[in-house]
Amino acid sequence: MSEIYLDNSATTKVNPKAAETAFKVMTEVYGNPSSIHDKGSTAAKLMLKARNDIIASFFGQQALKKLPKIPGFLGGEEYGRLIFTSCGTESNNLAISSVIESCKIASPRIITSDSEHPAVLRCFEKWAEKGCDVVYLSTKNGVIDENELKGAINKNTVLVSIMYVNNETGAIYDLPKLFKTVKDISPDTICHTDCVQAYQKIEVSPSKLNADMITISGHKIHAPKGIGALWVKNELIQKKRIIPILNGGGQESGLRSGTENLPGIAAFAEAVNVNGSDKAHITFSEKVTPLRNLMIENLDPSIRINVPAGDYVPHILSLTMPGQKSQPVLNMLSRQGIYVSSGSACSSHKNTVSHVLTAFGLSSSDADSTIRVSLDSDNTEEEILTFCRALNETVKRLAKK
Ligand code: PLP
């Protein structure tokens, strides 16, 4: 049975070149980057190249000429620092917890949205229990209201953390505007964004976003699982606003201890470059937008597409099938080798209705009748048409039961 994989926001297939790179590093460049012999320094040089390549994917290829060539250095004044972590979840936790632990306010205000990934929401909940004053901004219809944000900022606001692209609806929140608002009102408030679903799908430029910290993750962009990174503005390092959450050997300039996952790091950089580095989002959008349009044209009119009122990415589609629960639909598609998800993969085993969809404005029953389709540039027109036929047929068959 041929397979049609339309769950690319849950994870992606590893690019063969990235897999080859990981294998080569595991079997040949296996030295510890911290070792001072030749095998270690070869590993450290490879890590430096990977780090600079990923930084260049934010700032453009001209950055490569200026980035320092000193192994062990995390970046530069102009281009910030890149801390390698194990995943997007760890990067989000490091960013959020650092800002709170390093602030000198007893009950700091921290602001986020009500549609964040659990990797941010659970962290905010932990800090709320410890006495932080938490504000959740509404994401009704996939949009964050600038005035609501303005009203939430007070003199104790130390952190605003908002994702760039929502993993269930595809909504793009207007961070360039929202983070500028934060900086205009309160220049010392730190702006962090979870760009796990945005990176290489839309432009992620730290300066255009007005962001101080950016989270990314390898397995969403055809690199292996188990590698992520946090980009941090240089100023935050100087002001000691990053506090390690793992204590140990002092890797990553003491900011993230633990022997670096060099096969993952090198494969991450390889995938970034194969995708097109700072231009990846352009090719991605060109390939995926016609597939999205084709899908919309061929879906049964009874299937509703939850389109955000503001901007959105082309590759994530939230589809509601009124009156049908998503689980039987997923199961029937899966039996035909077609893979989609209900809500995000991380929360879909919990049997709770998606907080993102209810925040978007869906009733609990509609949220429970919704699937997420997430496309990749490798998907074909034929796959999209086969998926539409299968979904239309499944919905009809279940409606007769
Ligand atoms: N943030 C968002 C928006 C995500 O979609 C995900 C994963 O689905 C994560 C964070 C977690 O990333 P990781 O799986 O690398 O921990």
Side-chain angles (χ1 to χ4, degrees):
M1 181 172 68
S2 64
E3 294 190 343
I4 300 179
Y5 187 72
L6 300 174
D7 199 13
N8 290 282
S9 291
T11 198
T12 55
K13 180 161 133 186
V14 177
N15 178 282
K17 279 194 170 172
E20 263 170 44
T21 301
F23 181 75
K24 199 161 181 252
V25 176
M26 281 189 249
T27 53
E28 293 174 28
V29 196
Y30 52 82
N32 187 324
S34 300
S35 297
I36 48 175
H37 48 63
D38 277 3
K39 201 84 188 151
S41 62
T42 307
K45 278 185 200 141
L46 185 67
M47 192 161 74
L48 174 76
K49 182 183 176 320
R51 198 186 309 272
N52 286 355
D53 279 352
I54 296 177
I55 295 178
S57 75
F58 291 126
F59 293 96
Q61 299 310 296
Q62 74 285 355
L64 281 176
K65 291 196 196 106
K66 290 206 207 159
L67 279 161
K69 306 282 178 295
I70 313 156
F73 205 64
L74 299 193
E77 298 224 337
E78 197 179 343
Y79 300 112
R81 315 282 174 106
L82 192 83
I83 305 167
F84 285 118
T85 63
S86 63
C87 57
T89 300
E90 185 189 334
S91 301
N92 284 339
N93 275 265
L94 176 61
I96 295 163
S97 295
S98 283
V99 173
I100 299 165
E101 279 185 31
S102 64
C103 81
K104 303 205 164 46
I105 298 171
S107 176
R109 170 161 289 193
I110 53 176
I111 301 172
T112 189
S113 84
D114 59 8
S115 279
E116 298 294 313
H117 188 270
V120 167
L121 283 183
R122 297 291 94 80
C123 194
F124 266 68
E125 282 162 20
K126 177 191 90 174
W127 283 106
E129 279 166 22
K130 291 186 174 194
C132 285
D133 165 24
V134 178
V135 177
Y136 297 97
L137 302 172
S138 159
T139 52
K140 188 98 196 284
N141 297 320
V143 178
I144 295 177
D145 177 14
E146 193 189 359
N147 287 326
E148 191 186 342
L149 172 63
K150 274 186 191 161
I153 300 168
N154 68 10
K155 65 175 184 5
N156 286 342
T157 307
V158 295
L159 173 72
V160 177
S161 176
I162 302 176
M163 67 199 329
Y164 198 12
V165 169
N166 185 274
N167 47 309
E168 291 187 47
T169 63
I172 301 176
Y173 302 122
D174 191 356
L175 294 191
K177 187 167 93 187
L178 296 171
F179 283 176
K180 182 172 182 306
T181 301
V182 175
K183 295 291 179 185
D184 286 348
I185 300 175
S186 174
D188 288 339
T189 299
I190 292 171
C191 293
H192 164 251
T193 172
D194 174 347
C195 282
V196 166
Q197 297 289 349
Y199 183 54
Q200 300 214 302
K201 307 292 193 312
I202 58 172
E203 187 184 22
V204 172
S205 150
S207 52
K208 287 188 192 161
L209 285 173
N210 296 304
D212 297 303
M213 289 192 282
I214 296 176
T215 289
I216 56 174
S217 173
H219 73 105
K220 309 289 184 179
I221 60 137
H222 301 287
K225 292 160 189 64
I227 181 68
L230 180 69
W231 175 86
V232 182
K233 207 171 181 174
N234 205 41
E235 200 181 295
L236 263 63
I237 306 270
Q238 285 160 344
K239 291 186 175 162
K240 299 204 179 345
R241 297 308 304 271
I242 297 290
I243 311 264
I245 50 178
L246 294 182
N247 303 301
Q251 288 87 349
E252 300 293 277
S253 292
L255 298 171
R256 199 280 184 180
S257 285
T259 302
E260 296 89 345
N261 168 10
L262 192 55
I265 290 171
F268 193 1
E270 182 71 34
V272 165
N273 288 337
V274 171
N275 294 339
S277 186
D278 56 315
K279 305 278 185 299
H281 60 283
I282 301 172
T283 3
F284 182 80
S285 170
E286 279 170 5
K287 287 188 181 161
V288 161
T289 305
L291 298 177
R292 175 192 179 91
N293 294 340
L294 185 69
M295 185 178 295
I296 293 174
E297 279 163 27
N298 285 280
L299 283 174
D300 190 89
S302 69
I303 299 169
R304 205 177 66 218
I305 306 162
N306 301 307
V307 185
D311 213 356
Y312 51 87
V313 289
H315 66 291
I316 300 178
L317 289 104
S318 169
L319 307 178
T320 301
M321 305 145 302
Q324 302 301 331
K325 286 208 184 291
S326 56
Q327 201 55 51
V329 175
L330 285 192
N331 294 344
M332 283 177 80
L333 290 175
S334 178
R335 268 183 245 128
Q336 298 169 66
I338 299 174
Y339 307 117
V340 297
S341 72
S342 64
S344 69
C346 321
S347 55
S348 51
H349 286 294
K350 285 193 190 140
N351 278 335
T352 49
V353 180
S354 154
H355 68 285
V356 174
L357 297 177
T358 47
F360 190 85
L362 267 63
S363 65
S364 297
S365 129
D366 276 356
D368 200 19
S369 301
T370 298
I371 59 170
R372 175 187 71 182
V373 179
S374 44
L375 309 172
D376 183 59
S377 50
D378 279 349
N379 287 128
T380 63
E381 288 186 0
E382 202 186 322
E383 286 178 334
I384 300 301
L385 293 173
T386 307
F387 162 74
C388 290
R389 273 195 302 273
L391 182 64
N392 295 344
E393 188 56 36
T394 301
V395 169
K396 271 192 201 126
R397 214 180 306 158
L398 286 170
K400 281 188 197 145
K401 280 193 179 172

